């Protein structure tokens, strides 16, 4: 899934960093601050809300988009409370995802 998303989102002006676990992602973010985080709700080593609470302490303004097979209002509510800007259910509509990522990235550059 990560490789498919990387092919979908890669662009001339985009550097992508992929991680297989929440801890790998936290380690990578400590080295290089991302402009946006695309995050599965259930990571192998933690849930998104745990990951997000740590990220928001470091970089409160980074937009986080959550994707999940297990979409429901409770998960979306938890994610929003931790600062997620979007919650996208799987299976992902590629065009929708690209549009949301582009919108969120353009909002960050406009600020």
């Amino acid at each position: 899934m990560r490789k498919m998303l990387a092919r979908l989102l890669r662009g001339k002006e985009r550097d992508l960093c992929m991680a297989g676990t929440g801890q790998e992602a936290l380690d990578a973010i400590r080295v290089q601050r991302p402009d946006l985080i695309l995050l599965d709700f259930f990571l192998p080593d933690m849930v998104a809300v745990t990951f997000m609470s740590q990220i928001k302490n470091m970089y409160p303004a980074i937009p986080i988009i959550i994707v999940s097979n297990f979409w429901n209002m409770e998960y979306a509510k938890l994610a929003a409370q931790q600062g997620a800007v979007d919650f996208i259910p799987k299976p992902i509509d590629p065009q929708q995802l690209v549009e949301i990522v582009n919108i969120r990235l353009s909002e960050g550059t406009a600020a």
Side-chain angles (χ1 to χ4, degrees):
M1 178 64 114
R2 286 188 313 264
K3 289 179 183 178
M4 186 273 301
L5 291 174
R7 282 192 304 270
L8 184 65
L9 296 172
R10 193 171 310 277
K12 287 187 244 178
E13 299 176 16
R14 279 194 191 135
D15 290 327
L16 299 176
C17 177
M18 296 186 297
T21 67
Q23 190 58 55
E24 286 177 15
L26 288 170
D27 293 344
I29 290 167
R30 285 184 182 101
V31 174
Q32 182 179 7
R33 183 196 180 280
D35 294 323
L36 180 137
I37 297 171
L38 183 61
L39 180 67
D40 200 303
F41 194 86
F42 293 104
L43 304 168
D45 57 344
M46 66 182 76
V47 294
V49 291
T50 302
F51 176 89
M52 292 169 58
S53 67
Q54 294 181 47
I55 290 302
K56 289 300 181 176
N57 285 332
M58 292 189 292
Y59 302 112
I62 293 176
I64 299 175
I65 299 170
I66 302 291
V67 296
S68 181
N69 272 335
F70 306 100
W71 190 93
N72 69 42
M73 288 307 292
E74 189 61 31
Y75 291 156
K77 188 172 156 183
L78 285 171
Q81 288 170 345
Q82 288 297 323
V85 295
D86 288 293
F87 194 96
I88 301 172
K90 292 179 184 176
I92 296 169
D93 174 335
Q95 183 177 350
Q96 177 193 25
L97 178 65
V98 169
E99 288 173 8
I100 290 171
V101 166
N102 288 338
I103 288 167
R104 295 303 180 184
L105 287 172
S106 69
E107 290 172 349
T109 58

